[in-house]
Amino acid sequence: MSINGNADVNTESAVTEDSETAPLLNNGSAPPRARGASFASSVFNLMNAIMGSGILGLAYAMANTGIIAFCILLIIVASLAAYSIHLLLKLCDQTGINSYEDIGEKALQKPGKVIAGVAIIIQNIGAMSSYLFILKSELPAAIRTFLSPDSAGNAWYEDGRLLLILVTLCVVLPLAMLPKIGFLGYTSSLAFLFVLYFVVVIVVKKWSIPCPLSRNVTTLSGAFQISNSTESECTPKLFVVSSKSAYAIPTMAFSFLCHTAVLPIYCELDRPSKGKMQNVTNVSICLSVLLYLVSSVFGYLTFYAHVESELLLGYDKYLPHDIVVMTVRLAILLSVLLTVPLIHFPARKATLLLLFGRRPFSWPIHIVATLTIVGVVLLMAIFVPDIRNVFGVVGSTTSSCLLFIFPGIFYLKISNSSRRSFDSIGAAFLVVFGVIMGIFSLSVIAITWSLNT
């Protein structure tokens, strides 16, 4: 489907053009040929791209930065993410270009297109592999919680690899095969409901786990005794500075990385315009910030300094057989599962653009590309023993580039705005901030690895 405002509506070849490579409306001056994705569907898709499994780690970040410091940092990172999207949309509006990769080519010629495309492919394949790795690790445990303790210990549903293959073939692959990202609005709305359910449960369960925390621990002699936290640990901290505080900003930045999905969503938006897509972005980021804040605050106020790096693990310790906690764990896993096809879309789009350019849509090429990417992701999730370490360095570098550095550089190279204009200064700030954050993230990962070896 073409939505180019300068194209002839009656041109047969334009009607068959693939939505993944169709140019944008210029200022919304011409009507689209067919109704695109609704505003609500686009918001759900972008929120699904934003949130993923990052919501599980932000309470831990709050415990290591303090409530006020966390809120300030979260709002700053969210604002910078929204601003970098504003720069990308402004470039799309000025040039009529509809892809991150082509904006890179416009700014830096062929190397810019290749660098942006490769970064998108690496980032999204890494993210998809990490999500499937989480499913492989957590899905068998989630299923076991619903079964009686007398169930057989070697049942097929306790094999994480087998379960991963089944859910990939039955859920991920059919959704990833869809040619338009707008169709995923239905699954994204379902994923949003799962996340909302998670947040509600975190709020409600705050009063089910009293502080000081107590739990059974096993002594060296094999006996059980009660271990209590102190009253002082039940006081919320407003500001915290420790070695673990270093993980806060990278965690937040990765929690708002949705830029590779923004332009595909923009392309399929009904009557697309920069202002409308900016509203989609603002609503999505604001709702995400709200859900992040509520879940982080109540998760932190439940466990205080004892918050686990993955929030739900704390509930497993103190409420191991709570049926609501069991269901919310399964809901989060389903949310992660439904996020994978959405992340797959820009990875496939970047692959097709780099390999085939803007050739007309072809189902054989589309199917082969989809099967190849999903196959690579599945094999990595199955056979790599620790996917997070493998993609730690790659993720921190590509995320910094896609979130901050590339939008800033592309804007400075393409835009005709004065170098003293607000957006030019803001773009330069994004580049500097992204470089600092990337170096900082790599340093933290290197130090962590050196301490663990």
Side-chain angles (χ1 to χ4, degrees):
M1 179 184 68
S2 175
I3 49 176
N4 185 349
N6 297 322
D8 183 359
V9 177
N10 296 319
T11 303
E12 289 294 330
S13 61
V15 174
T16 61
E17 186 179 2
D18 179 24
S19 62
E20 293 186 3
T21 58
L24 295 169
L25 276 171
N26 293 324
N27 302 319
S29 57
R33 288 171 179 77
R35 183 174 178 81
S38 67
F39 184 91
S41 174
S42 299
V43 167
F44 284 132
N45 272 337
L46 192 55
M47 282 191 68
N48 197 16
I50 291 172
M51 304 201 74
S53 61
I55 196 171
L56 296 175
L58 288 176
Y60 180 77
M62 177 176 283
N64 292 298
T65 55
I67 294 177
I68 293 181
F70 175 89
C71 292
I72 293 173
L73 290 174
L74 188 71
I75 292 173
I76 289 174
V77 172
S79 300
L80 291 176
Y83 182 70
S84 62
I85 292 175
H86 158 75
L87 294 182
L88 286 177
L89 294 177
K90 191 171 182 179
L91 290 178
C92 289
D93 195 49
Q94 291 176 1
T95 63
I97 293 174
N98 72 339
S99 74
Y100 207 130
E101 303 87 337
D102 287 340
I103 291 177
E105 184 176 29
K106 179 75 173 179
L108 303 173
Q109 306 302 319
K110 187 64 175 290
K113 180 177 183 177
V114 173
I115 291 172
V118 170
I120 290 172
I121 293 170
I122 293 175
Q123 168 64 33
N124 289 353
I125 287 181
M128 286 187 288
S129 300
S130 298
Y131 286 176
L132 291 185
F133 187 85
I134 292 172
L135 287 167
K136 181 186 74 172
S137 304
E138 301 293 337
L139 193 54
I143 293 175
R144 281 196 299 269
T145 59
F146 289 94
L147 303 176
S148 65
D150 299 329
S151 300
N154 295 318
W156 65 269
Y157 49 77
E158 294 187 358
D159 186 341
R161 293 182 176 183
L162 178 59
L163 287 177
L164 184 59
I165 293 172
L166 289 177
V167 297
T168 300
L169 293 178
C170 297
V171 180
V172 174
L173 185 59
L175 292 176
M177 200 65 72
L178 296 173
K180 296 182 180 180
I181 200 170
F183 292 144
L184 296 177
Y186 300 104
T187 58
S188 294
S189 60
L190 186 60
F192 170 76
L193 292 177
F194 288 146
V195 173
L196 188 61
Y197 175 59
F198 166 81
V199 174
V200 171
V201 170
I202 297 303
V203 173
V204 172
K205 289 300 177 181
K206 190 264 181 265
W207 287 274
S208 298
I209 304 177
C211 198
L213 300 172
S214 62
R215 56 177 172 172
N216 292 328
V217 296
T218 305
T219 64
L220 293 177
S221 63
F224 286 97
Q225 68 181 35
I226 301 299
S227 173
N228 291 319
S229 59
T230 62
E231 288 285 353
S232 62
E233 292 179 339
C234 298
T235 302
K237 305 295 190 297
L238 301 183
F239 293 94
V240 176
V241 178
S242 69
S243 59
K244 295 179 181 179
S245 302
Y247 290 91
I249 292 181
T251 300
M252 294 176 189
F254 303 153
S255 297
F256 284 101
L257 181 60
C258 59
H259 295 50
T260 58
V262 167
L263 297 187
I265 292 173
Y266 185 10
C267 289
E268 296 190 11
L269 184 63
D270 188 34
R271 294 189 295 275
S273 67
K274 177 185 178 299
K276 190 173 183 179
M277 187 61 204
Q278 189 67 59
N279 289 335
V280 169
T281 301
N282 294 341
V283 171
S284 300
I285 290 182
C286 286
L287 288 175
S288 298
V289 168
L290 179 62
L291 294 177
Y292 280 157
L293 279 176
V294 172
S295 63
S296 300
V297 168
F298 281 89
Y300 171 59
L301 294 179
T302 301
F303 301 105
Y304 296 92
H306 298 280
V307 175
E308 298 285 344
S309 57
E310 186 179 319
L311 182 57
L312 288 177
L313 294 178
Y315 296 94
D316 291 342
K317 291 181 179 179
Y318 297 100
L319 299 172
H321 303 294
D322 188 285
I323 188 65
V324 176
V325 174
M326 296 177 189
T327 57
V328 80
R329 186 189 192 98
L330 189 59
I332 284 297
L333 290 177
L334 290 174
S335 176
V336 169
L337 176 63
L338 295 176
T339 301
V340 174
L342 188 68
I343 301 176
H344 169 272
F345 191 95
R348 182 182 66 214
K349 177 176 177 290
T351 301
L352 294 178
L353 279 175
L354 290 180
L355 294 179
F356 302 105
R358 292 193 169 278
R359 81 170 45 181
F361 177 76
S362 168
W363 271 110
I365 293 177
H366 175 88
I367 293 172
V368 170
T370 301
L371 290 174
T372 301
I373 294 173
V374 172
V376 169
V377 170
L378 180 61
L379 290 174
M380 296 183 72
I382 290 176
F383 293 108
V384 175
D386 195 342
I387 203 81
R388 297 177 187 180
N389 284 340
V390 172
F391 287 101
V393 174
V394 175
S396 63
T397 52
T398 56
S399 296
S400 298
C401 289
L402 294 170
L403 187 61
F404 301 118
I405 299 174
F406 287 170
I409 291 177
F410 294 167
Y411 185 83
L412 292 174
K413 292 290 291 184
I414 297 175
S415 177
N416 295 324
S417 300
S418 168
R419 289 294 177 259
R420 296 183 178 180
S421 67
F422 178 83
D423 281 340
S424 294
I425 295 174
F429 174 79
L430 282 179
V431 175
V432 174
F433 182 84
V435 170
I436 293 174
M437 200 201 78
I439 295 174
F440 180 77
S441 301
L442 287 173
S443 301
V444 169
I445 292 171
I447 292 172
T448 303
W449 285 358
S450 65
L451 292 177
N452 292 334
T453 55

